Amino acid sequence: SAWRSFTRWLGRLAGSSPARAALLIFALTIGLFTSLLMMPWATASGSAPDFHDALFVATSAVTVTGLTPVNTAEHWSLAGEIVILVGIQVGGLGIITIAALLAISVTRHLGLRTRLVAQEGISTGKLGETGSLIKIVVIFSAVVELALALVLVPRLIALEGDVATGFWHGIFYSVSAFNNAGFVIHPEGLADVGHDPIVLWTLMAGVFLGSLGFPVLLLLWRHRWHFRRWSLHTRLTVEVTVLLMVVGAVLYAVLEWNHVDTLGQMTTGEKLQNSLFASVMMRSGGFSVVDNVIEHSETMLVTNALMFAGGGSASTAGGIKVTTIAVIFLAFLAEARGHEESTAHGRTIPTQAVRVAVSVVAMGATFVLISTLALIIITGEDLERPLFESISAFATCGLTTGLTEELSPSGLYVLTGLMFAGRVGIMTFAAALTIRHSRTRYRYPEARPIIG
Amino acid sequence: SAWRSFTRWLGRLAGSSPARAALLIFALTIGLFTSLLMMPWATASGSAPDFHDALFVATSAVTVTGLTPVNTAEHWSLAGEIVILVGIQVGGLGIITIAALLAISVTRHLGLRTRLVAQEGISTGKLGETGSLIKIVVIFSAVVELALALVLVPRLIALEGDVATGFWHGIFYSVSAFNNAGFVIHPEGLADVGHDPIVLWTLMAGVFLGSLGFPVLLLLWRHRWHFRRWSLHTRLTVEVTVLLMVVGAVLYAVLEWNHVDTLGQMTTGEKLQNSLFASVMMRSGGFSVVDNVIEHSETMLVTNALMFAGGGSASTAGGIKVTTIAVIFLAFLAEARGHEESTAHGRTIPTQAVRVAVSVVAMGATFVLISTLALIIITGEDLERPLFESISAFATCGLTTGLTEELSPSGLYVLTGLMFAGRVGIMTFAAALTIRHSRTRYRYPEARPIIG
Ligand SMILES: [K+]
Ligand SMILES: [K+]
């Protein structure tokens, strides 16, 4: 049948060009969810939504971004919200699975000498079969989301005073948090329940776990706190994640401590709690208790930097990824110390990894620059809000200055493309670069341009 | 005597740590010019200026930036303006000479296998002696500046209707242009004479030549248009410079074509001419006919990117330098093509060069980020103007949104530090990194974190 020959073709494509197959799968998934959201039953009003809104929200859900031009609670029916939730879950599982599959094909390509994924627990021997990998990812996600829901559902039932609403909201926020999606279904955003510490800490825990990435989670599950068994990837991911989280929280607290619109009127405990919450969310959670546009410009700049950094590889967090930053910083450190090789924790980082990392950052910066330029031209705004919104879309973070809600269709298409590029582009690009690597048969003489 | 033992100590320092010696020389030079500008005879009013203004202007002159918190024409006496002019000339010559000396010590360190400067004409055999290198740099600068003055002096005499004024202005702008300093001594800025094509094209020629860098100029002088004899450094510098110049001019023209405050009311020829002028100046000339703050936000964003890029290595232009961009782009290209090595024009670019390039960019971005954050906090402005002013100071460009004139002393100190770091820091940092390179005696096993 047509379906069977399509899947066979897709299988061949996945074998010959996993990166291109991943791009295609994501595009098709987004197409599917766009057409579901275009149904009249998906909206609260009962009439079909605008195509650019449906495409934007479907892309935002599948790429687990959380930006939206319409108010999720008011614009969509319950059925529409379920479509979005399924989109987030499918997108999140798809991202983790495909990233892990890409990592495996990278490992296979590189051979045993530079083992990549084997160390992470996703050894090709045990989990090489796509089916069993997907099974583990699904079970893992389900267990974590269930654990989150066990806290959130009773708490939200108590807060909202209604069993059905609390149950539905609890499920939605559990999925949204672990998948780093940042979608909210309270009309006024998280502000409605954001004063509750249990809700805040549960969301933080879900987002934090989700942002580490599947390879790290699997390894942590197996080896727990036996640090010596942690792989280099796990160590770097945890180290940079914790470092950025602390730096973000401290800067947020310092910059907003006395700002009446944000932290100013809270108790010291609440100030610290909300600073940590803001910091965790900047790196791709995308939930916010406070409107970002109310924050000081300096806070938005710090947020820009942390959004661009993002979370762990093969996770539902976006950005250029913490290991990319680690690799670049280690290269810098090696240079500053005059060492020929980048090393960390008794391991040498291959030179090619530095080039891939630089390529990823250069690509990301270029995307953000072009999108910001386009949004400034389209909206007539000055730099601040278009830059923030572009980085948020690229890094699939979902924090917003409110600009997305005001955008014309052309502006929405720019951000839609950026969410897709930031999510699927960066992931497949890095894998494709690493895989395509071939030995050259001849060498040119060296020449060294003057730098700096 | 004390002076003799000081110079002997400096000589030893230059031998053991050329980078640290360069830092010290620049700091001392800035100190000297600051104390000259602190004299009562240096100001138009006859009373000593504020220390933060004198320090800022001295730093701006010696680092050939062109930013100034006070109106050069109104705040300083003729004597003060001469001090600034001498500061620019000393700074420009110092930058070129020290950069060339650093390049030579890099070459010596690297040995013959990776020849760096020999190819550029500054072979250590012929010009190894500091004295003769300085002689060539001085003669070269004097010849070019004289040529510029031969056009500018008569033209400005004609335009201003006064021989003494025209002569002084012609000399000042010739020196300011070739050294990419961007200082103006018309009270209303270049707008007074900016309608004159001869003035504009002469300034453009001076800035363009100055921005290529001494190694490239010397090689072009020797080999002219015999492309085959051009070194890799010269080819990359010329290619990226021309590319950025064209891209900048086209974007400026497209973005400002109908903007009434900038190009809108000009003839088509004037629009093209002023777009090219703006593009050449963005990459570190720092002259502007139009106030940058009047331009569209999208134009300022493009300007930000081009200012950060900057000009050629060992030139009076600032920024991260065009060869840094070339090296990163070539690394990206090699990755995308799956090649193991970056190559260009039949030459292999050593891996270490990529790491130095990345370190320079990372350092520059960090400096700009911290300065922008500090300026936002100090001024209470939103992102746009602090970012523009920070990049302009870091890249020693000198274009301004007017923020420098409004800054409090603490803000001025931030930019002063940034000009120093952007000029001396980047130059010595890159050289120090390249020189300090040592072979490691043992290797760790490889481990490759997942990227992207
Ligand atoms: K998100
Ligand atoms: K300048």
Side-chain angles (χ1 to χ4, degrees):
Chain A
S1 68
W3 175 251
R4 191 179 276 183
S5 59
F6 170 73
T7 53
R8 208 178 295 151
W9 171 77
L10 196 63
R12 276 202 307 276
L13 180 63
S16 66
S17 171
R20 235 174 279 176
L23 278 175
L24 187 69
I25 291 170
F26 266 92
L28 290 175
T29 309
I30 288 170
L32 172 68
F33 280 93
T34 306
S35 55
L36 286 174
L37 287 178
M38 284 300 287
M39 300 292 166
W41 48 258
T43 63
S45 66
S47 57
D50 291 329
F51 173 72
H52 47 82
D53 286 337
L55 176 68
F56 192 100
V57 172
T59 308
S60 183
V62 172
T63 62
V64 296
T65 305
L67 286 174
T68 166
V70 296
N71 188 308
T72 306
E74 291 167 357
H75 192 263
W76 307 105
S77 63
L78 178 63
E81 290 174 11
I82 291 174
V83 169
I84 291 172
L85 187 66
V86 174
I88 292 169
Q89 187 62 76
V90 167
L93 291 175
I95 290 159
I96 299 174
T97 314
I98 289 175
L101 289 174
L102 286 172
I104 287 173
S105 70
V106 165
T107 310
R108 279 198 184 130
H109 177 84
L110 292 173
L112 275 177
R113 201 173 62 86
T114 30
R115 286 181 308 160
L116 159 67
V117 195
Q119 312 172 316
E120 312 301 334
I122 338 176
S123 72
T124 47
K126 288 182 195 164
L127 292 168
E129 292 306 314
T130 314
S132 77
L133 177 70
I134 293 179
K135 209 197 282 177
I136 289 204
V137 169
V138 170
I139 292 173
F140 214 99
S141 298
V143 168
V144 177
E145 287 169 10
L146 195 68
L148 296 172
L150 283 176
V151 180
L152 283 181
V153 167
R155 189 65 192 167
L156 286 171
I157 288 175
L159 284 173
E160 317 223 38
D162 179 75
V163 175
T165 310
F167 183 81
W168 165 234
H169 285 178
I171 298 291
F172 191 97
Y173 284 117
S174 299
V175 173
S176 189
F178 181 64
N179 287 296
N180 276 223
F183 271 94
V184 291
I185 46 170
H186 284 88
E188 302 300 319
L190 266 192
D192 293 357
V193 290
H195 58 275
D196 186 73
I198 294 178
V199 173
L200 286 190
W201 285 94
T202 311
L203 290 178
M204 262 195 268
V207 167
F208 181 81
L209 284 177
S211 77
L212 290 175
F214 182 64
V216 173
L217 287 179
L218 204 57
L219 186 137
L220 289 180
W221 180 258
R222 289 193 183 166
H223 298 308
R224 306 289 157 89
W225 299 110
H226 296 97
F227 294 110
R228 292 178 165 266
R229 293 198 202 152
W230 286 17
S231 66
L232 179 64
H233 177 78
T234 298
R235 289 179 190 210
L236 293 179
T237 301
V238 171
E239 283 166 358
V240 180
T241 298
V242 171
L243 179 74
L244 292 183
M245 190 174 72
V246 171
V247 168
V250 169
L251 285 176
Y252 193 91
V254 168
L255 296 174
E256 298 288 332
W257 197 265
N258 292 315
H259 189 185
V260 184
D261 298 327
T262 56
L263 302 181
Q265 297 182 313
M266 297 179 183
T267 65
T268 302
E270 284 173 344
K271 285 179 180 185
L272 294 174
Q273 169 183 285
N274 277 278
S275 297
L276 187 65
F277 186 83
S279 174
V280 170
M281 296 310 152
M282 283 174 204
R283 292 196 17 272
S284 141
F287 290 117
S288 60
V289 176
V290 172
D291 272 357
N292 300 96
V293 76
I294 297 175
E295 293 164 4
H296 288 309
S297 285
E298 50 267 39
T299 312
M300 287 172 68
L301 181 59
V302 169
T303 307
N304 281 340
L306 288 172
M307 288 197 296
F308 191 72
S313 295
S315 81
T316 47
I320 55 171
K321 304 295 182 322
V322 290
T323 40
T324 306
I325 293 168
V327 165
I328 289 178
F329 178 73
L330 290 169
F332 176 92
L333 212 63
E335 277 309 310
R337 286 176 178 167
H339 295 169
E340 197 163 351
E341 299 188 325
S342 301
T343 58
H345 299 301
R347 291 284 180 279
T348 295
I349 293 166
T351 314
Q352 203 232 348
V354 179
R355 290 209 315 204
V356 175
V358 172
S359 301
V360 165
V361 176
M363 192 191 184
T366 308
F367 278 151
V368 168
L369 188 67
I370 292 172
S371 163
T372 306
L373 200 60
L375 289 188
I376 291 176
I377 293 171
I378 289 169
T379 61
E381 290 267 329
D382 74 0
L383 181 61
E384 195 161 79
R385 295 172 78 211
L387 178 66
F388 190 98
E389 217 76 6
S390 294
I391 294 183
S392 180
F394 165 76
T396 65
C397 177
L399 293 177
T400 181
T401 59
L403 188 66
T404 300
E405 290 173 23
E406 303 166 14
L407 279 178
S408 63
S410 58
L412 291 178
Y413 289 125
V414 170
L415 287 186
T416 302
L418 198 60
M419 288 189 283
F420 188 79
R423 165 55 64 193
V424 198
I426 291 295
M427 184 168 81
T428 56
F429 176 71
L433 290 191
T434 313
I435 290 173
R436 252 202 278 170
H437 203 227
S438 64
R439 303 230 155 236
T440 36
R441 264 145 295 177
Y442 50 87
R443 290 202 69 188
Y444 290 120
E446 284 195 351
R448 180 188 288 259
I450 312 174
I451 288 170
Chain B
S1 68
W3 175 252
R4 191 178 277 183
S5 61
F6 171 73
T7 53
R8 206 178 299 150
W9 172 76
L10 196 61
R12 274 203 308 277
L13 181 62
S16 66
S17 171
R20 234 173 280 176
L23 277 174
L24 187 69
I25 291 170
F26 266 92
L28 290 175
T29 310
I30 289 170
L32 173 67
F33 281 92
T34 305
S35 56
L36 287 174
L37 287 179
M38 283 301 286
M39 301 290 166
W41 48 258
T43 62
S45 66
S47 58
D50 291 329
F51 173 72
H52 48 83
D53 286 337
L55 176 67
F56 191 100
V57 172
T59 308
S60 183
V62 172
T63 62
V64 296
T65 305
L67 286 174
T68 167
V70 296
N71 189 306
T72 307
E74 291 168 356
H75 192 263
W76 307 106
S77 63
L78 178 62
E81 290 174 10
I82 290 174
V83 169
I84 291 171
L85 187 66
V86 174
I88 292 169
Q89 187 63 77
V90 167
L93 291 175
I95 290 159
I96 299 173
T97 314
I98 289 175
L101 289 174
L102 285 174
I104 287 173
S105 70
V106 165
T107 311
R108 277 196 185 132
H109 177 84
L110 291 175
L112 276 177
R113 200 174 63 85
T114 30
R115 287 182 307 161
L116 160 67
V117 195
Q119 313 171 313
E120 313 300 333
I122 339 176
S123 73
T124 47
K126 288 181 196 165
L127 292 168
E129 293 305 313
T130 314
S132 78
L133 177 69
I134 293 179
K135 210 197 283 176
I136 289 203
V137 169
V138 169
I139 293 173
F140 213 100
S141 296
V143 168
V144 177
E145 287 170 10
L146 195 68
L148 295 172
L150 284 177
V151 180
L152 283 181
V153 166
R155 189 65 192 168
L156 285 171
I157 289 175
L159 283 172
E160 316 225 36
D162 180 74
V163 175
T165 311
F167 182 81
W168 166 235
H169 285 179
I171 299 291
F172 191 96
Y173 283 117
S174 300
V175 173
S176 189
F178 181 64
N179 288 295
N180 277 223
F183 271 93
V184 292
I185 46 170
H186 284 88
E188 302 300 319
L190 265 191
D192 293 357
V193 290
H195 59 275
D196 187 72
I198 294 178
V199 173
L200 286 191
W201 284 94
T202 311
L203 291 178
M204 262 195 269
V207 167
F208 182 82
L209 284 177
S211 78
L212 289 175
F214 182 64
V216 172
L217 287 178
L218 202 59
L219 186 137
L220 288 180
W221 180 258
R222 290 194 181 164
H223 297 306
R224 306 290 156 88
W225 299 111
H226 296 96
F227 294 110
R228 291 177 165 266
R229 293 196 202 155
W230 286 17
S231 66
L232 180 65
H233 177 77
T234 299
R235 289 180 190 209
L236 293 179
T237 301
V238 172
E239 283 166 358
V240 180
T241 298
V242 171
L243 179 74
L244 292 183
M245 191 175 72
V246 171
V247 168
V250 168
L251 285 176
Y252 193 91
V254 168
L255 296 174
E256 297 289 332
W257 197 264
N258 293 315
H259 190 186
V260 183
D261 298 327
T262 57
L263 302 181
Q265 296 182 316
M266 298 180 183
T267 65
T268 302
E270 284 173 343
K271 285 179 179 186
L272 294 174
Q273 169 183 283
N274 277 279
S275 296
L276 187 65
F277 186 83
S279 174
V280 170
M281 295 311 152
M282 283 175 204
R283 290 198 16 274
S284 142
F287 290 117
S288 60
V289 177
V290 173
D291 272 355
N292 300 96
V293 75
I294 297 175
E295 293 164 4
H296 288 309
S297 285
E298 49 266 39
T299 312
M300 288 172 67
L301 180 59
V302 170
T303 307
N304 281 340
L306 288 172
M307 289 196 297
F308 191 73
S313 295
S315 81
T316 47
I320 55 170
K321 305 295 184 316
V322 290
T323 39
T324 306
I325 293 168
V327 165
I328 289 178
F329 178 73
L330 290 168
F332 176 92
L333 212 62
E335 277 309 309
R337 286 176 178 168
H339 294 168
E340 198 164 350
E341 299 189 324
S342 300
T343 58
H345 300 300
R347 292 284 180 279
T348 295
I349 294 166
T351 313
Q352 204 233 346
V354 179
R355 290 207 316 203
V356 175
V358 171
S359 302
V360 166
V361 175
M363 193 191 184
T366 308
F367 278 152
V368 169
L369 188 66
I370 292 171
S371 163
T372 306
L373 200 59
L375 289 189
I376 291 177
I377 293 172
I378 290 169
T379 61
E381 290 266 328
D382 74 1
L383 180 62
E384 195 161 78
R385 295 172 77 210
L387 178 65
F388 190 98
E389 218 77 3
S390 293
I391 295 183
S392 180
F394 164 76
T396 67
C397 177
L399 294 176
T400 180
T401 59
L403 187 67
T404 301
E405 291 174 20
E406 304 165 15
L407 278 179
S408 63
S410 58
L412 292 177
Y413 288 126
V414 169
L415 287 186
T416 302
L418 198 59
M419 289 189 283
F420 188 78
R423 166 55 64 193
V424 199
I426 290 294
M427 184 167 82
T428 55
F429 176 70
L433 289 192
T434 314
I435 290 172
R436 251 201 278 170
H437 204 226
S438 64
R439 303 226 156 241
T440 36
R441 265 146 294 175
Y442 50 87
R443 292 200 68 187
Y444 291 120
E446 286 195 351
R448 180 188 289 261
I450 313 175
I451 287 170

